[in-house]
Amino acid sequence: MSKHKYWGEIQEDWAGFSAETEFISRYFDNKHIRIFLNEEYDEDGEEIEIIPSNNELDDFEKTYSNFITELDKVIEEIKEKTFERYLKLYAHHYENEEKSGEKPLNISNKESHFEYIKDINYIRILQDGNIKIPIHYKIDTEHGIEIRLENNKIISIGGIAET
C-alpha cells in the first residue's frame, strides 16, 4: 500500500490498483465510483503488480482533474456518441416490436438513451491523458459499454474490454 497527496491510499484491488479517492457525480446512479489507476494487465497479459510511481500518480491526478473540470462537456459528448451507437447497432431491434418481441423502448434522443448508461462499473485513469469508463449498459447487459477518452475526447466506444 502507498499514500499519495491527491489519491490517498493506493491499494491492490480486484481489478488493479485503486485509489481512496472516489468519483462522485450527479450524472450517474451510483454515488461512489471506484477509481483504478493504470491498466490492470501489461502488454503480455500479466497482472501489473507494481504500484504506480509518484510521477505516474501525479500524471493521473492531472488527467483526472482535467476530466472533472470538463465533465459537463464530456458528458454531452458521451450522450451524443452513445446515442449514435444505439441508433446504429440496437435501435432496429429494440424499436421494432416484431423483431424484439417487446414493446419499443421509444429511445428517441440522447437524453432518453442516457438513462440506460447511468450505472458506471468504475473509472480507470491511464497514461497520457487516457481514461476508460466501463458501464453496465441496460440495453446490452452481456457486453456492457465502455468509453475511452483521450484528453477528454471520446476516441473509442465498444463493449467492455474492447476499447
Side-chain angles (χ1 to χ4, degrees):
M1 186 165 37
S2 173
K3 192 145 179 103
H4 185 263
K5 64 183 176 6
Y6 182 83
W7 297 112
E9 289 185 14
I10 310 299
Q11 59 186 356
E12 195 166 353
D13 209 330
W14 63 273
F17 289 96
S18 67
E20 185 177 351
T21 302
E22 295 178 312
F23 174 69
I24 300 169
S25 171
R26 63 184 163 86
Y27 290 109
F28 299 98
D29 290 343
N30 12 7
K31 300 301 179 222
H32 298 275
I33 299 166
R34 182 160 296 161
I35 298 173
F36 287 94
L37 304 169
N38 212 357
E39 293 284 6
E40 182 177 5
Y41 299 101
D42 65 18
E43 49 281 338
D44 297 324
E46 298 294 321
E47 197 171 302
I48 295 175
E49 297 178 355
I50 299 171
I51 291 179
S53 70
N54 273 328
N55 286 340
E56 289 172 314
L57 293 171
D58 290 345
D59 184 55
F60 297 153
E61 176 185 351
K62 181 181 173 190
T63 296
Y64 183 70
S65 294
N66 289 338
F67 170 71
I68 295 301
T69 299
E70 297 183 17
L71 186 60
D72 292 339
K73 187 172 73 173
V74 171
I75 294 299
E76 282 307 308
E77 186 181 18
I78 287 172
K79 287 178 180 181
E80 187 70 38
K81 299 293 186 186
T82 58
F83 179 59
E84 288 172 8
R85 185 174 191 271
Y86 170 77
L87 291 175
K88 181 179 175 185
L89 299 178
Y90 297 97
H92 70 280
H93 179 79
Y94 287 106
E95 301 302 338
N96 184 333
E97 191 170 347
E98 291 177 12
K99 288 184 179 182
S100 69
E102 304 284 332
K103 295 243 183 258
L105 295 177
N106 294 319
I107 298 172
S108 58
N109 58 48
K110 65 184 181 182
E111 298 301 329
S112 59
H113 178 259
F114 190 67
E115 294 302 313
Y116 291 86
I117 61 168
K118 288 186 151 191
D119 186 8
I120 292 179
N121 295 341
Y122 55 85
I123 291 179
R124 186 173 299 280
I125 310 298
L126 302 168
Q127 303 288 330
D128 302 319
N130 282 268
I131 296 175
K132 280 187 191 177
I133 307 172
I135 299 169
H136 176 78
Y137 189 31
K138 294 176 186 172
I139 292 172
D140 185 350
T141 56
E142 180 180 349
H143 300 104
I145 194 166
E146 185 172 271
I147 298 162
R148 180 143 183 166
L149 304 168
E150 184 176 305
N151 299 318
N152 295 323
K153 300 282 186 212
I154 294 176
I155 59 169
S156 182
I157 299 176
I160 292 176
E162 293 179 354
T163 66

